[in-house]
Amino acid sequence: MRNNKNTTHILSKTLLASALSMVMGASTAVAADGNSTVKGSIKSGQGIELAQAQLTFTHNTKGLKFSVKTNTNGEYTIRNLPVGTYTVSINKAGFETLLEKNVELSIGQAIILDAQLLKEGQNIERIAVTGTAIRRVDMGSSTAGVTFTDSELKVMPVNTGFESIALLAPGTAQPGGDAFKGASSFGGSSSAENSYYFNGLNVTSIRSGLGSIRLPWEAIAQTQIKTGGISPEFGGALGGIVNAVSKSGDNEFTLGAELRIDPSSSHSYHDSTYLDNGTIHLNTQQNYDSFKALQVWTSGAIIEDSLFFYGLFAPRREGSRWAGQTTYNDRSRDEDRWFTKLDWFINENHSVGISAMNNKREWTRQTYTYDWQRNTIGDKQGVAAPGEDGGKVYSVNYNGYLSDFFSVSAVVGRVTENVENIVASTAPGVWDERGSTVTLSSHTASGVSEQEFIRDQARLDFNIDLDYHAILFGVDYTKVQVEYFEGQNGLADAQGWWTVKTAGENSISGAALGQDYIERRVRTRTVDSEVKSLAFYVNDSWQVTEQLVFNLGLRYSQFENTVTDGRAFVDMDNQLAPRLQAIYDLNGDGESKVFVTYGRYFQPVSANMNITQGSASVEWFEYFDLDQIDGNGYPVLLQDGSPSRGEMLRDRRWRQRGITEPGLIASSSLKPMYSDEFTLGYQTSIFDDMAFGVRAIYRDLGRSVEDTDVGPVLAKKLAELGIQDNVGQGSYYVLNNPGEAITMSYDFDGDGQADDITLTAEELALQQAVRKYLALEFTLEGNISDKLRINASYTWSHSYGNTEGLVKTDNNQADPGWTTSYDYADLMDNGYGNLPNDHRHSIKLSGSYDITDEFTLGLVARTTSGRPMNYFSKHPVGVDSCRNGSPWDDCVSKDYGHVSHYDENGKAIPRGSVGELPWATIVDVSLSYSTDVLGHDLLLKGTIYNLLNSDKALDINEQRSLDGDNGLVVNPDYGLATLRQTERYASLVARFTF
């Protein structure tokens, strides 16, 4: 039994006889297994605090019982309750026992449950209280977001995956490129700046941070989306947090099965699109998609009221066929996901859980030659190529009370991800980029890679309940192992990425202005390294007065990234992140609140940087004249798959030579990336069971971490110091904080002594990173009636600055921390403006309506204004950062191609200043039929995604110019859609539970 000495003192409005009120209360720590907290006060009918009143919480399906007694102030707190539905009894000698059924506990949230007890024999009519008495306004926390249970999602047209759920929340946006794995942008941040948790484990994609690993969605009981005002137990993210908890066994044995089929015939594919020269661009002529998923689960009690099991087997089968310009592909993917969980409630105070999961996926892909003009499929290219990705997850967790007021939770676990592709043929990739890109080769894969990532993690969280203070503190530790290799397809002299281009003025290729040439690019990367992080946090939820709550939090973190030999090239500590909240109960009745928050959030250097920056990366280029060409003017492909080519136009150009010296690849003065967030809001209960809210948000990126090729500036500095550069590579990419000095240490002249070089902020002339986000959110959620439930929002927002963050939508670059931003100062010229995640208006509506007891209509709809558009061209020589006398007057960025903010005439065109993409509207609907068959539950559900078959562009070709015979010309394919909304298709589900 737990006799808490205190909890946060919350005083609700006077209740009539035996009335029970419940509200969402102060946030809880990251429970190791998604547990929740209940707190409140017990009074007599005359409003007198009742000490030693006993509350017993009985889990409706597990039979677990948890008890707590009120302190001298009539208050109590009980933590580490497994999520689910409870029956609560409240009794005290001399008073009538109060029984409340169906009290629902949700992940990561606290319930405020206050009650008044009547003296025995008191003749006052009792007031029946149901779930509709749950108050929607959280008086203990101002963390923003939404929470959905499995039962709610089952009757809504929400696809599997965290991102489908995240997009239901205000302030989230779909990515503007197809390389970002569907990961959402939260509050103007890039899509690689979120964190995802499952049963207390970090399940964020290990390499990229783009979304989560694939999970067994049937096993998820509740999912919480946190979009702002995030408490200090969460770290490592500037955007948002997705937190989910799994299902577990109950006393009642359960066996169930669900079959989902997405018929291939239901896909209403959009029309193909074509380049200006008539070549097909987005080819849908051969599109075919089929999807089948079976889920079988069982759960129950091994020992009643104590030891429970849950098991899920979820095989999935996918088939896809599609064509490009020169190839037709037929791919089948098989995945046998499974999840198992064992929970042992040793006694009322201690419990242990063990879980394991598999999401390994295997596929086979056969490639054929293809003639898009005749829409005919030709010969096989090589053998059927196998591949695999995914891995396993293991975890052990513990929850317990060490005393009446001191509780603890812990979790340790491992997440593994493996990616392996085996090429079916040795043909390299060959493209023609003299206009819009045309694929010339029939390659099956342009690159080869082997990847293995292991994330080991442990966290420990403590809760102490004292008078007027609820103190949370904890520690978490993570170690990621990175093993990686990549290279290009092709044998011997055919290996590489081959591209046909037209030379601009003073081309690095050595070709004359307007001359066509062939570029060969070869890059290999090898690494075996680690990423480590350690964090501590503390949060004090302080009930200052009966109406005022302060949440005073602080998070300390440190992390390091190593090269293969174990030396750290990134080593950052002393990261102090305050997380502060003030919540004021306007009327003292728990119905309305105003709140203000401030938080600082640090972003670790991605594991991707161990590959892109910390690996032994060898990269070089060769340039050739054209030789044999076909009737269309394209190079003839040789027997080895490479293009026919003439003489080399210059010597081999080395960009990198595999150097992994920490002093050369990262500034020794490097500081962490962080962002500050301020929010001001108001929320109130309306219509008995709904809540209306308004929230103002301001986010400001305080510092960024970028990679910059300091070669042009370094060359000047070395010459000034009289140091000969004998390294033999043309580029020096260094991790740095834009706007601050860079300190390097390396033996540049080869004399055996390291040369310590400092490039000052003035010498570098790099713009400081700027990303600001302003938003005003309006939300309305709850039950309009017993049959109709909605979650609605409108968000006005403005995201502006000169950097999107870890990834870059401009060129669809999902390479966290290693985008072309800041590669050279000239690339940033005119780069300040509206950013890619600037969607000025967003309207969202989701919910469900019970047409009858059996039929439920589900709806998910949103309409969002389009992102800003740009002009990208080559940087003109002699202007802005390329002006004579500038540190960057070599104007190296022009060799990157058409990626700078200018038009074809060399006129500066600031970022995001040429209009916006069209509004994108999506409407998904579902109809569910639930009935009883022989005493068992049957659910039939049909869903139509993109009911209106909307076909708006989500991304376009923003390259404004091309290289012509006498300079730049307008690109006739500017504005052509490169990513469109997913076509309309249907999904059918049959679900039966024994």
Side-chain angles (χ1 to χ4, degrees):
M1 185 174 294
R2 304 163 188 171
N3 183 9
N4 287 42
K5 295 185 177 179
N6 182 49
T7 73
T8 302
H9 183 77
I10 295 180
L11 185 66
S12 64
K13 66 181 181 180
T14 301
L15 302 176
L16 294 178
S18 300
L20 187 68
S21 71
M22 290 167 282
V23 309
M24 306 307 295
S27 62
T28 61
V30 183
D33 203 13
N35 293 338
S36 191
T37 297
V38 184
K39 55 174 42 176
S41 62
I42 308 299
K43 298 179 181 180
S44 69
Q46 291 73 39
I48 300 173
E49 292 87 355
L50 296 179
Q52 296 300 300
Q54 178 166 308
L55 294 91
T56 300
F57 294 77
T58 303
H59 196 286
N60 285 359
T61 57
K62 296 184 188 298
L64 303 171
K65 294 182 183 293
F66 305 91
S67 299
V68 63
K69 285 187 176 181
T70 57
N71 61 16
T72 55
N73 295 320
E75 299 165 347
Y76 71 94
T77 291
I78 185 167
R79 299 186 184 275
N80 293 338
L81 296 181
V83 297
T85 306
Y86 285 79
T87 297
V88 183
S89 67
I90 308 172
N91 62 77
K92 180 176 172 61
F95 292 82
E96 292 189 8
T97 297
L98 181 63
L99 192 67
E100 176 61 19
K101 298 180 180 180
N102 299 321
V103 176
E104 186 80 26
L105 300 190
S106 298
I107 177 176
Q109 294 176 321
I111 292 291
I112 305 301
L113 191 154
D114 298 333
Q116 287 184 322
L117 299 182
L118 296 176
K119 288 187 177 181
E120 291 179 346
Q122 191 170 352
N123 188 22
I124 299 179
E125 181 182 358
R126 298 178 62 86
I127 297 178
V129 180
T130 67
T132 59
I134 295 178
R135 294 185 193 155
R136 297 275 176 179
V137 179
D138 182 349
M139 290 298 165
S141 174
S142 50
T143 297
V146 294
T147 299
F148 289 95
T149 65
D150 174 66
S151 58
E152 290 173 321
L153 296 175
K154 281 287 187 289
V155 293
M156 293 169 58
V158 179
N159 215 334
T160 56
F162 281 147
E163 303 309 327
S164 298
I165 305 173
L167 287 174
L168 303 178
T172 59
Q174 192 174 355
D178 60 5
F180 303 112
K181 300 181 180 179
S184 304
S185 165
F186 284 64
S189 65
S190 81
S191 53
E193 297 169 19
N194 309 316
S195 287
Y196 302 78
Y197 293 85
F198 178 57
N199 283 350
L201 281 185
N202 185 343
V203 293
T204 310
S205 177
I206 299 177
R207 176 184 176 179
S208 66
L210 290 164
S212 74
I213 64 172
R214 300 186 306 277
L215 294 172
W217 303 112
E218 169 60 34
I220 295 177
Q222 297 182 8
T223 303
Q224 183 182 38
I225 312 296
K226 296 174 179 281
T227 59
I230 297 170
S231 48
E233 56 266 35
F234 292 99
L238 306 186
I241 299 292
V242 178
N243 188 27
V245 59
S246 72
K247 298 174 182 176
S248 61
D250 301 318
N251 276 331
E252 183 178 353
F253 176 79
T254 300
L255 175 65
E258 177 183 290
L259 176 65
R260 171 177 170 174
I261 298 176
D262 297 355
S264 57
S265 59
S266 70
H267 287 261
S268 301
Y269 295 110
H270 304 314
D271 293 336
S272 298
T273 61
Y274 296 83
L275 302 176
D276 180 73
N277 64 10
T279 301
I280 202 164
H281 174 51
L282 296 180
N283 188 349
T284 63
Q285 295 179 122
Q286 292 284 346
N287 279 17
Y288 170 89
D289 293 277
S290 68
F291 177 78
K292 300 179 181 67
L294 175 66
Q295 302 188 100
V296 181
W297 63 92
T298 183
S299 64
I302 299 174
I303 301 175
E304 188 174 4
D305 296 347
S306 177
L307 185 60
F308 306 96
F309 74 91
Y310 177 89
L312 170 70
F313 178 61
R316 301 158 66 97
R317 301 294 182 261
E318 299 175 68
S320 299
R321 298 196 289 267
W322 71 96
Q325 294 171 331
T326 59
T327 59
Y328 168 84
N329 298 275
D330 187 345
R331 182 187 66 196
S332 61
R333 292 198 296 202
D334 296 347
E335 182 177 5
D336 292 336
R337 296 185 194 178
W338 54 259
F339 174 79
T340 184
K341 193 169 190 293
L342 193 65
D343 292 293
W344 181 25
F345 292 86
I346 303 168
N347 54 40
E348 179 181 334
N349 292 320
H350 303 281
S351 65
V352 176
I354 301 173
S355 67
M357 185 194 86
N358 173 76
N359 68 352
K360 183 179 178 181
R361 179 174 62 181
E362 299 177 335
W363 64 82
T364 301
R365 174 175 165 180
Q366 180 67 66
T367 301
Y368 302 78
T369 58
Y370 174 73
D371 185 335
W372 69 265
Q373 292 172 304
R374 296 180 176 84
N375 193 25
T376 55
I377 301 167
D379 297 331
K380 287 184 179 180
Q381 296 296 289
V383 299
E388 65 178 51
D389 63 5
K392 291 182 171 59
V393 178
Y394 305 98
S395 70
V396 178
N397 59 71
Y398 164 77
N399 293 287
Y401 261 85
L402 304 183
S403 73
D404 289 343
F405 57 88
F406 187 26
S407 62
V408 60
S409 63
V411 61
V412 294
R414 166 172 285 193
V415 178
T416 66
E417 285 189 88
N418 299 277
V419 181
E420 188 172 327
N421 73 312
I422 300 174
V423 297
S425 75
T426 58
V430 186
W431 301 270
D432 192 310
E433 293 184 355
R434 288 176 289 182
S436 293
T437 301
V438 175
T439 302
L440 304 181
S441 56
S442 299
H443 63 273
T444 59
S446 64
V448 294
S449 67
E450 292 184 15
Q451 309 173 39
E452 182 178 10
F453 305 93
I454 300 174
R455 179 193 286 132
D456 290 319
Q457 50 194 303
R459 69 174 297 138
L460 195 59
D461 301 282
F462 299 93
N463 301 270
I464 300 177
D465 295 306
L466 303 172
D467 288 343
Y468 304 104
H469 295 271
I471 300 173
L472 313 178
F473 62 96
V475 57
D476 66 73
Y477 172 78
T478 301
K479 183 177 81 169
V480 174
Q481 297 172 258
V482 179
E483 292 188 32
Y484 184 90
F485 166 79
E486 75 166 39
Q488 287 68 56
N489 204 358
L491 297 178
D493 289 341
Q495 181 189 14
W497 293 318
W498 299 86
T499 309
V500 186
K501 298 183 176 182
T502 299
E505 189 174 0
N506 299 318
S507 172
I508 199 172
S509 66
L513 174 64
Q515 178 184 350
D516 294 338
Y517 67 93
I518 296 173
E519 174 190 271
R520 178 191 185 192
R521 180 185 180 190
V522 173
R523 183 183 71 196
T524 59
R525 288 170 169 167
T526 306
V527 70
D528 181 359
S529 60
E530 294 180 345
V531 182
K532 298 177 182 177
S533 64
L534 176 67
F536 303 91
Y537 80 90
V538 62
N539 187 80
D540 180 11
S541 185
W542 175 22
Q543 189 78 43
V544 183
T545 70
E546 291 182 349
Q547 294 175 244
L548 179 63
V549 174
F550 283 165
N551 288 321
L552 308 176
L554 181 68
R555 183 179 179 89
Y556 167 90
S557 57
Q558 62 186 52
F559 55 81
E560 72 171 24
N561 300 61
T562 71
V563 295
T564 295
D565 62 15
R567 290 176 299 162
F569 69 96
V570 172
D571 189 0
M572 300 181 184
D573 56 13
N574 297 320
Q575 301 169 45
L576 296 176
R579 309 283 178 87
L580 309 175
Q581 300 180 357
I583 306 105
Y584 184 72
D585 186 343
L586 282 176
N587 303 310
D589 59 4
E591 296 292 330
S592 301
K593 70 176 180 181
V594 292
F595 59 89
V596 60
T597 75
Y598 163 71
R600 173 163 289 187
Y601 306 88
F602 286 94
Q603 182 74 44
V605 173
S606 168
N608 183 61
M609 295 304 291
N610 285 40
I611 298 168
T612 57
Q613 191 72 10
S615 67
S617 180
V618 177
E619 184 175 11
W620 49 264
F621 298 79
E622 291 177 343
Y623 306 92
F624 302 88
D625 265 328
L626 269 65
D627 189 20
Q628 302 175 61
I629 59 174
D630 63 19
N632 296 314
Y634 299 132
V636 172
L637 299 187
L638 304 178
Q639 188 173 0
D640 61 12
S642 67
S644 173
R645 53 200 180 275
E647 297 296 322
M648 284 184 64
L649 298 173
R650 54 160 291 179
D651 60 333
R652 177 180 289 179
R653 179 170 74 90
W654 289 87
R655 175 177 279 176
Q656 292 178 294
R657 288 187 178 268
I659 301 172
T660 59
E661 179 63 39
L664 186 65
I665 61 178
S667 174
S668 62
S669 58
L670 189 67
K671 302 180 186 70
M673 179 179 182
Y674 75 88
S675 179
D676 290 327
E677 180 194 61
F678 301 85
T679 71
L680 175 65
Y682 166 78
Q683 191 178 26
T684 185
S685 295
I686 60 173
F687 309 134
D688 294 331
D689 199 21
M690 300 193 72
F692 168 79
V694 57
R695 189 170 73 109
I697 307 106
Y698 174 67
R699 288 184 170 188
D700 182 13
L701 182 66
R703 187 192 300 123
S704 184
V705 174
E706 303 284 350
D707 69 295
T708 300
D709 179 5
V710 300
V713 182
L714 179 63
K716 294 180 173 65
K717 187 70 171 183
L718 292 178
E720 176 188 319
L721 297 174
I723 299 173
Q724 180 73 32
D725 184 356
N726 293 322
V727 177
Q729 64 180 35
S731 297
Y732 292 92
Y733 288 93
V734 181
L735 277 188
N736 70 98
N737 305 122
E740 300 182 20
I742 293 177
T743 301
M744 306 169 63
S745 181
Y746 190 70
D747 183 9
F748 290 98
D749 54 14
D751 64 359
Q753 299 293 322
D755 302 303
D756 296 327
I757 307 294
T758 296
L759 303 175
T760 67
E762 292 73 24
E763 289 172 323
L764 287 164
L766 286 172
Q767 302 174 23
Q768 184 176 352
V770 178
R771 185 182 73 193
K772 298 181 184 294
Y773 176 79
L774 285 170
L776 193 62
E777 292 178 358
F778 298 88
T779 58
L780 179 65
E781 59 89 19
N783 300 319
I784 294 179
S785 68
D786 291 343
K787 295 184 176 183
L788 178 60
R789 301 158 293 279
I790 69 164
N791 190 305
S793 67
Y794 165 73
T795 303
W796 175 94
S797 63
H798 186 196
S799 179
Y800 59 98
N802 60 13
T803 181
E804 180 180 354
L806 290 184
V807 296
K808 192 170 184 179
T809 301
D810 293 340
N811 57 353
N812 200 24
Q813 191 173 7
D815 213 355
W818 214 69
T819 68
T820 56
S821 293
Y822 286 100
D823 277 6
Y824 303 96
D826 18 329
L827 286 173
M828 304 303 293
D829 288 340
N830 309 299
Y832 186 92
N834 297 329
L835 292 169
N837 290 314
D838 180 36
H839 297 274
R840 204 60 57 90
H841 305 279
S842 179
I843 303 170
K844 299 182 178 183
L845 174 64
S846 61
S848 61
Y849 175 68
D850 297 330
I851 303 171
T852 67
D853 290 341
E854 292 83 19
F855 287 96
T856 300
L857 179 68
L859 172 71
V860 171
R862 65 178 182 273
T863 183
T864 306
S865 58
R867 70 169 181 86
M869 298 190 299
N870 301 284
Y871 280 174
F872 290 121
S873 182
K874 284 194 172 181
H875 198 299
V877 176
V879 301
D880 296 332
S881 293
C882 292
R883 68 188 182 280
N884 292 332
S886 164
W888 304 90
D889 54 10
D890 287 348
C891 209
V892 179
S893 67
K894 71 181 188 304
D895 297 316
Y896 265 41
H898 305 260
V899 294
S900 295
H901 294 276
Y902 298 87
D903 68 8
E904 69 279 6
N905 300 311
K907 179 183 176 182
I909 307 295
R911 169 182 287 282
S913 62
V914 291
E916 295 82 31
L917 293 179
W919 282 65
T921 299
I922 193 81
V923 177
D924 302 331
V925 295
S926 64
L927 183 64
S928 303
Y929 173 71
S930 301
T931 190
D932 182 273
V933 177
L934 301 176
H936 304 291
D937 295 329
L938 172 68
L939 171 69
L940 302 176
K941 179 183 176 184
T943 300
I944 300 177
Y945 297 102
N946 193 3
L947 176 67
L948 305 179
N949 203 23
S950 299
D951 184 21
K952 294 295 191 290
L954 304 179
D955 193 18
I956 62 169
N957 181 349
E958 295 181 284
Q959 182 179 324
R960 178 63 179 178
S961 60
L962 299 173
D963 289 297
D965 293 339
N966 298 303
L968 299 181
V969 297
V970 173
N971 179 8
D973 294 312
Y974 173 83
L976 188 65
T978 56
L979 176 66
R980 299 184 288 176
Q981 292 177 276
T982 302
E983 74 280 355
R984 178 176 58 225
Y985 69 99
S987 178
L988 303 175
V989 171
R991 180 184 181 89
F992 192 73
T993 304
F994 296 92

